[in-house]
Amino acid sequence: MSEWKGYSIEELFQVQGRIGWKGYKRTDLVDSGPIVVGGREINSELFLDLSDVKHLSRVKYEESPEIMLKPEDVLVVCRGNLAEVGIYHKEYGEGTLNPSVVLLRSRGVISPLYGFYYLSSSIGRAQLLSISSGSSVPAIYQSSLKTLQLPVPDRDTQNGIVEILKSLDDKIDLLHRQNRTLEQMAETLFRQWFVEEADEGWEEVNIESLFEVRDGTHDSPKKQELGKKLITSRHLKPNYIDFKNAYFISEEDYLAVNKRSKVEKGDILFSMIGTIGNLFLEESDSVDYAIKNIGLFKTSQNPKWRYFTYLWLKSDLGSQFIHENRSGSTQEYISLGNLRSIAFYVESESQVSEFNSVVNQLFKKIKSNQTQIRTLTALRDTLLPKLMSGEVRVDI
């Protein structure tokens, strides 16, 4: 790495953020049009999380041409979800920034993807956090960001590093896409069986008669350098848990939290605060994390109902329930009492068993894909800092 040349961010990139007086209000948000990328969409992964992205009016979008996003713009979160990094892709279409994010547009010396991977590595993240300032609300200011030094190898080496990492990310993305397709197939079957063919004479089944419904801790265990991960609602993403951005808690706090809300294989996690209704069906044989402010459906206690419950929560029936029971103005939430009031309507338990036999193979394939995703993610996260430090060399 000694032959890699050091450059400042300002030498490598044009740095641009939203100008303060060109901010926007909630009333400027619309149902469709240019997307607004903020900290919630950026999680140091190759692809942005646009599952709950907002849209900005055409007038407001065109008011700030300097931050109209282009393919391969590198995005850095400077407030809130601090030091997370993303990269913009052509398929996202028109987009702009919210005030918490700045864009880095390559001046040509650095491959944008190399810049993204470097800043998203543990090395780059540590550098970004080292220049944050502010006690109550830490932030990364553009003046500090521009002076940050990055070691940059020759372009062939950059491309070799990117090729290795992107090949892993593309495989991970393909598996996520397969899982979304498989889940859509299961959702279609659920809708046919339990919505379109529903009958007024079907029996009502209260959820608490089937299994317990709990929630995670409401305390805030102290952050540790090592230990067990604490998963909150913001770490529940569509079809996966964002472990990378969750922090560690002590073994003592982990055991204390799990006295009330231990997650086991076959349980369902449900985001209760902020973006309500993100789900994860835990199918791992080994579960070693704790949860905070997350609904926990203990379907492991009655496995017959896990697929039905999961798909009910994802269906229009679940969406309607969330809409009718959400509370809060500044930050929306749904209460544990509401979740415990859920009632299902089925013809019989044997109908549920028959449905399980139909969708079981779909969920088996999803579980297999999730195992591959974890393996590939671990490999990528191990290689990333080694490649960026020069510890692992690429053949050119």
Side-chain angles (χ1 to χ4, degrees), residues 116-133:
F116 159 74
Y117 279 121
Y118 181 87
L119 291 171
S120 65
S121 72
S122 57
I123 299 169
R125 180 177 176 82
Q127 285 182 258
L128 287 170
L129 290 173
S130 73
I131 60 171
S132 65
S133 57

Side-chain angles (χ1 to χ4, degrees), residues 11-244:
E11 291 175 308
L12 295 170
F13 298 98
Q14 173 191 343
V15 181
Q16 188 66 58
R18 179 171 287 277
I19 298 171
W21 63 271
K22 291 185 178 180
Y24 59 87
K25 301 176 182 177
R26 186 172 293 185
T27 52
D28 295 315
L29 299 176
V30 292
D31 293 333
S32 62
I35 63 173
V36 185
V37 179
R40 299 179 91 175
E41 286 73 45
I42 301 171
N43 53 17
S44 296
E45 298 288 346
L46 181 61
F47 300 99
L48 301 180
D49 177 6
L50 302 180
S51 58
D52 196 34
V53 73
K54 308 299 182 188
H55 300 267
L56 194 63
S57 70
R58 174 66 53 183
V59 171
K60 272 293 177 183
Y61 170 70
E62 292 181 350
E63 185 180 77
S64 301
E66 70 279 0
I67 55 170
M68 290 179 178
L69 292 168
K70 297 180 180 180
E72 297 197 321
D73 280 346
V74 178
L75 310 174
V76 180
V77 182
C78 293
R79 288 180 178 80
N81 199 20
L82 206 62
E84 296 299 329
V85 184
I87 191 163
Y88 206 75
H89 297 286
K90 182 179 179 180
E91 59 263 34
Y92 300 154
E94 293 179 312
T96 187
L97 303 176
N98 85 3
S100 67
V101 179
V102 300
L103 70 82
L104 308 180
R105 188 166 290 157
S106 176
R107 297 186 187 276
V109 173
I110 191 171
S111 156
L113 276 168
Y114 175 83
F116 159 74
Y117 279 121
Y118 181 87
L119 291 171
S120 65
S121 72
S122 57
I123 299 169
R125 180 177 176 82
Q127 285 182 258
L128 287 170
L129 290 173
S130 73
I131 60 171
S132 65
S133 57
S135 54
S136 57
V137 184
I140 297 172
Y141 294 98
Q142 285 190 40
S143 57
S144 300
L145 181 61
K146 289 177 179 179
T147 64
L148 198 69
Q149 293 286 311
L150 270 61
V152 182
D154 63 79
R155 198 60 179 247
D156 287 341
T157 301
Q158 290 181 52
N159 292 339
I161 290 171
V162 166
E163 184 178 354
I164 292 169
L165 295 171
K166 192 172 183 299
S167 68
L168 292 170
D169 271 326
D170 286 342
K171 290 174 185 176
I172 292 168
D173 182 59
L174 177 61
L175 291 166
H176 278 305
R177 289 174 186 267
Q178 286 181 4
N179 278 359
R180 285 195 289 271
T181 300
L182 292 165
E183 283 208 358
Q184 287 167 2
M185 293 169 64
E187 289 166 28
T188 298
L189 289 167
F190 178 89
R191 185 168 60 252
Q192 291 172 349
W193 280 57
F194 299 105
V195 179
E196 295 172 2
E197 298 178 11
D199 188 277
E200 290 183 0
W202 284 6
E203 63 179 293
E204 177 180 355
V205 182
N206 182 269
I207 198 167
E208 283 202 293
S209 69
L210 302 173
F211 47 80
E212 291 181 274
V213 182
R214 307 176 189 169
D215 63 353
T217 181
H218 297 271
D219 297 329
S220 298
K222 288 184 179 180
K223 185 176 180 179
Q224 305 291 328
E225 289 298 319
L226 294 171
K228 304 289 188 180
K229 290 284 188 169
L230 180 67
I231 303 302
T232 68
S233 282
R234 66 185 289 262
H235 300 120
L236 282 191
K237 306 296 183 179
N239 307 308
Y240 74 100
I241 297 177
D242 179 17
F243 285 104
K244 181 165 39 170

Side-chain angles (χ1 to χ4, degrees), residues 203-205 207 210-211 305 308-309 312 342-346:
E203 63 179 293
E204 177 180 355
V205 182
I207 198 167
L210 302 173
F211 47 80
W305 288 87
F308 178 96
T309 302
W312 187 95
I342 290 172
F344 300 139
Y345 291 87
V346 295

